[in-house]
Amino acid sequence: MKIDIEERVLHFKQPAGTSRGVYTERRIWLVHVSDGMTVGVGECAPLLDLSCDALEPHIYNKVLRGFCDQVEETGEIPYEAMRDYPSMLFGLETALISFNFQLFDTPFARGEQGIPINGLVWMGSYEEMLQRMEDKLKQGFRCVKLKVGAIDFDKEFDLVKRIRERFSHHEVELRLDANGGFSPDEALYKLELLSQYVIHSIEQPIRQKQWAKMAELCRDSPLPIALDEELIGVNDPETKRQMLHIIKPAYIVLKPSLHGGMMGCREWIDIAREEGIGSWITSALESNIGLNAIAQFCSSVYGDSITFPQGLGTGQLFTDNIPMPLEIRGDKLWISKHS
């Protein structure tokens, strides 16, 4: 077995804004695995200032090379040693099972079923967000996620209000993602205001690593709260269990590149189910290589008939994405059998 590493920089079609800043480009590492006859590829895509393994590029490449050397020598992934390197783990997991485009044997992977997804409205000015919302609805999305927490809250609140004035919760399901943008002192008040407009859930209203405050917010909030960034860097199974038991969120939002690869996400899902906590899977600004793997993993984890919209639509963000037979039809992600 031979593993080669290819470093790439992808460029966004338009700046992708979050409460932590704006992304204009995206650095990824592709791992190519060859057994002499066939080749598999996986994507390692850490997010700057967010991933627990977001190292300086030259250090990241060195650490990844070390893990690849171990896999070349043993033929197996050193899972325990890689717990704190989720993006690298996910890339190697994908590469070792992707000797063809189909990673899992599911109806989605065979191109027979689509996975429902939410439309994503990125942060921007009030006018930009309103226009993006209009575009998503025209495209056929019936579940839309708004990134909030970056512009003036009154404007974001007005945007939610205007959406609800035009579309009832029977027509459009609204999800919000604050990326930790609310302060603990004001979060509950803002959630109470937003709850007037039938919001499905809000992701990470306050910054992570404030377990007591997040637990209190989950207990008192009129809106269901989902954890996202809170899960980053929590890689030990017992700590995962302890955190979910203490905070008791309504949902967890899982990104394999951030939350432990496929192995780590399966752990999160199993523990969440034991605690009565729901979950869904989303991509994290990967190229189509990663998006394909995440979507197929999602179809494997949740079964043949996924009705809960997942967050798998980011593959269209880049000007120089890697071509793959993925397409969005209406509000579903499909693998095209004709590509």
Side-chain angles (χ1 to χ4, degrees), residues 96-117:
L96 289 179
I97 61 173
S98 67
F99 285 106
N100 54 50
F101 183 76
Q102 183 175 320
L103 282 73
F104 296 94
D105 187 18
T106 65
F108 169 77
R110 296 192 296 269
E112 299 166 1
Q113 287 183 3
I115 296 177
I117 61 175

Side-chain angles (χ1 to χ4, degrees), residues 112-308:
E112 299 166 1
Q113 287 183 3
I115 296 177
I117 61 175
N118 61 249
L120 178 60
V121 175
W122 284 94
M123 289 177 176
S125 69
Y126 175 85
E127 291 75 18
E128 287 171 337
M129 292 180 73
L130 185 61
Q131 183 59 54
R132 290 168 189 169
M133 184 73 191
E134 295 276 3
D135 292 343
K136 292 300 177 185
L137 297 176
K138 287 178 183 177
Q139 291 166 24
F141 287 98
R142 291 296 170 259
C143 176
V144 178
K145 184 168 87 169
L146 293 172
K147 292 274 190 178
V148 298
I151 64 174
D152 181 80
F153 176 74
D154 289 339
K155 290 185 177 181
E156 292 172 340
F157 180 72
D158 185 58
L159 180 63
V160 171
K161 179 182 177 181
R162 287 184 61 174
I163 292 166
R164 272 291 170 253
E165 287 173 348
R166 292 187 52 194
F167 302 96
S168 75
H169 67 279
H170 298 294
E171 297 172 288
V172 177
E173 179 178 272
L174 278 181
R175 297 176 181 172
L176 303 180
D177 184 359
N179 288 124
F182 299 161
S183 73
D185 293 338
E186 66 185 5
L188 184 58
Y189 171 69
K190 290 183 175 180
L191 297 185
E192 288 172 344
L193 288 177
L194 291 166
S195 68
Q196 302 173 64
Y197 299 108
V198 195
I199 307 300
H200 171 270
S201 58
I202 183 165
E203 295 177 35
Q204 204 68 41
I206 63 174
R207 287 196 176 275
Q208 63 267 44
K209 297 183 180 178
Q210 303 179 82
W211 288 16
K213 291 179 180 178
M214 184 67 86
E216 182 180 352
L217 200 55
C218 287
R219 184 192 68 210
D220 297 338
S221 172
L223 288 182
I225 290 175
L227 301 186
D228 181 354
E229 287 91 342
E230 197 75 62
L231 312 180
I232 297 172
V234 182
N235 300 315
D236 171 69
E238 191 51 43
T239 308
K240 293 178 182 181
R241 190 180 310 278
Q242 181 185 21
M243 189 185 75
L244 292 185
H245 184 72
I246 290 172
I247 297 178
K248 293 183 170 59
Y251 302 99
I252 57 174
V253 183
L254 295 164
K255 300 176 173 71
S257 292
L258 294 174
H259 300 138
M262 299 184 202
M263 176 199 71
C265 285
R266 288 185 190 277
E267 284 182 353
W268 277 117
I269 291 168
D270 289 344
I271 294 169
R273 283 173 175 163
E274 292 172 11
E275 294 286 337
I277 296 167
S279 66
W280 70 87
I281 290 174
T282 180
S283 50
L285 307 180
E286 292 88 358
S287 77
N288 280 332
I289 298 288
L291 178 60
N292 169 61
I294 294 166
Q296 292 200 37
F297 172 66
C298 179
S299 70
S300 171
V301 167
Y302 293 131
D304 293 349
S305 300
I306 302 175
T307 58
F308 195 84

